[in-house]
Amino acid sequence: MNSEPIYILGIESSCDDTSAAVLCNGKVLSNVVANQEIHTTYGGVVPELASRAHQQNIIPVVQQAIQKANIDKNQLNAIAFTRGPGLMGSLLVGTSFAKSFAMGLNIPLIGVNHMQAHILAHFIDDKNHKKPPFPFLCLTISGGHTQIVKVNNYFEMMVLGETLDDAVGEAFDKSAKILGLPYPGGPLIDKYAQLGNPKAYQFTKPRVGKLEFSFSGLKTGILRFIQKNVKENPGFIKENQYDICASIQHTIVEILMDKLKNAVKQTGINHIAIAGGVSANSEIRKVLKEAESKFVWTTYIPKFEYTTDNAAMIGISGYLAYLQNKFSAIDTIATARLKVTE
Ligand code: KG4
Ligand code: ZN
């Protein structure tokens, strides 16, 4: 067996976070994330501004990641980068940088699927995190995706069900926008929900297939509810902000849990992981923890820093690919639309 340490540089630039990480044999030595504040004022990510910010951030972020890892760039064994899915302009910045850096260092390049990476973050070597055994189910919940994935192996995944319209992160962000909260609204709804009553208001849950999700109806329901109440009382949102947030969050988490229960019933698999930005949500984390004793599930909840977009998850995917000699050609292209199975 090769006892030489394997150093992988991971680069993530699919949306509005520029991130670089260095991993050694699957352990994270550094994970630097530069968030782009610029989108807050626009109520969502502006693609052109995102790619410009990535261009400004990419070199200092990579430099910091290498410095923090306390290694020399010549020690790197491979460079892993997000090849998709994501915003094309954003992906191109990471892809071009990764290609030229790998060429300059004369080391292999590994293109990583962002959605697989969210799931593979569970395999980061960390003494405080247990790794799920195959096969397991992963509820992938982010700003762009909502899926229940059956994970048979590191790179062998199957989508059991997904959203027919909006992603769950969008449901959080759009609800927040209706309430006049800045982007991204998910973390703020989570924060305010902790001070409110989750049963204060009831919202109708969607009627779709057992493993399918739909959030556009919920968003419209919330919009109508707010418009109606604000008409009667212009101070309605301010006066009831915490209860509204708690009720929205409670409804969303109930929808997610209902689907997970259906998936467990259908597959007989009770090793359940969550991944993606929305897995940072304190309510889903709490409810899943409780499910361990309530439903005899074993649950895998990622460390907070590996929930929202980060390069450590790209680095671990790169490391696992490296061990299987899965390298990408230098003419690999970024792909805006990419399924978790591709
Ligand atoms: O995975 P991610 O960083 O980017 C995508 O690949 O989409 O996910 C971002 C999403 C946003 O919609 C954000 O509002 C949501 O994750 N999010 C949360 C929380 N933290 C981030 N949603 C609910 N509660 C949170 N604590
Ligand atoms: Zn993501």
Side-chain angles (χ1 to χ4, degrees), residues 12 14-15 114-115 118 142-145 276-277 307-310 313:
E12 156 63 29
S14 66
C15 190
H114 180 92
M115 296 313 299
H118 270 300
S142 72
H145 294 82
T307 54
T308 49
D309 289 348
N310 66 87
M313 69 184 198

Side-chain angles (χ1 to χ4, degrees), residues 24 84 97 102 178 196 234 236 259 292 296 310 335:
C24 178
F97 181 87
I178 295 170
F236 178 75
K259 301 297 169 170
E292 293 221 316
V296 205
N310 66 87
T335 315

Side-chain angles (χ1 to χ4, degrees), residues 26-82:
K27 262 199 178 72
V28 177
L29 301 184
S30 63
N31 182 33
V32 179
V33 185
N35 302 117
Q36 301 181 0
E37 296 295 328
I38 186 131
H39 308 288
T40 320
T41 37
Y42 295 93
V45 177
V46 185
E48 175 58 25
L49 297 181
S51 36
R52 280 193 225 175
H54 281 306
Q55 279 183 342
Q56 283 169 353
N57 292 340
I58 189 100
I59 292 177
V61 164
V62 169
Q63 238 165 9
Q64 262 190 53
I66 293 175
Q67 246 167 31
K68 278 195 180 166
N70 204 16
I71 64 158
D72 186 89
K73 63 179 186 301
N74 292 307
Q75 286 174 268
L76 291 171
N77 295 81
I79 297 181
F81 68 97
T82 306

Side-chain angles (χ1 to χ4, degrees), residues 7 14 17 32 67 92 95 101 133 135 139 180-181 191 216 233 276 289 317 324:
Y7 291 100
S14 66
D17 296 310
V32 179
Q67 246 167 31
L92 281 174
T95 306
F101 203 26
L139 175 69
L181 301 174
K191 190 173 156 194
S216 69
N233 168 19
K289 197 90 215 99
S317 308
Q324 297 187 15

